[in-house]
Amino acid sequence: MTGEKPSHGSDELDGTSGAAGRVDIDAPAVSDGQEMYRITRDSGVLDVNSSYVYLLWCRDFAATSLVARADGRVVGFVTGYLRPDAPDTVVVWQIGVDAAQRGRRIAARLLDGLLSEVLPRGIRYLETTITADNTASVNLFSALARDRGTRLTTGELFTARMFPDTHEGEDLYRIGPLGTAGAPV
């Protein structure tokens, strides 16, 4: 690793900083893990992993993860990994956006950026799991499939009974086949 982070563009909404200013998308640095943890914890919806997990994720899975920055501060992230038994599939583990930044299409831009990174490496499918009550994620991934002109299939993956705690069941969302970045199949 060279230490240089690829840039996935920026978005200048009105020339100011903060909630309505420029958002840059790039690879995470280990130091971003604490902000990813904060966004997850403060979301009230996402499963909160230990803070250690977010640091490891930034170190070991930076090639399949991205952060969104406004004024140099992490305001959103997507974490993913290549599925070992399905080498043409990227799994989105978590995607989160700071409450003050929601409604700016940051999550959609993070997914587009992730696909721009992995499609040239032979990835043809994206998978994620979503609980039935997470309407925002259902809408986000449904829009991704629609905008890319490809299929979205869903089905039960982990039932609530499979979890040792009170976790809700997780449905699998599979999108693909995917073409080149930004192009329908």
Side-chain angles (χ1 to χ4, degrees), residues 72-115:
R73 183 171 174 255
V74 174
V75 296
F77 70 91
V78 60
T79 55
Y81 62 91
L82 301 182
R83 195 166 148 208
D85 62 344
D88 65 347
T89 302
V90 63
V91 176
V92 171
W93 177 259
Q94 281 188 318
I95 187 162
V97 176
D98 186 277
Q101 300 288 329
R102 291 188 190 138
R104 298 184 61 202
R105 299 198 75 251
I106 292 173
R109 289 187 53 225
L110 285 162
L111 288 176
D112 284 340
L114 176 62
L115 289 176

Side-chain angles (χ1 to χ4, degrees), residues 90-151:
V90 63
V91 176
V92 171
W93 177 259
Q94 281 188 318
I95 187 162
V97 176
D98 186 277
Q101 300 288 329
R102 291 188 190 138
R104 298 184 61 202
R105 299 198 75 251
I106 292 173
R109 289 187 53 225
L110 285 162
L111 288 176
D112 284 340
L114 176 62
L115 289 176
S116 292
E117 283 294 311
V118 300
L119 289 177
R121 295 189 258 162
I123 298 303
R124 301 281 291 152
Y125 296 91
L126 179 147
E127 292 183 348
T128 194
T129 63
I130 305 173
T131 57
D133 65 343
N134 191 339
T135 306
S137 286
V138 169
N139 291 341
L140 174 67
F141 287 95
S142 296
L144 177 69
R146 182 192 65 238
D147 294 348
R148 296 240 171 199
T150 194
R151 289 188 309 268

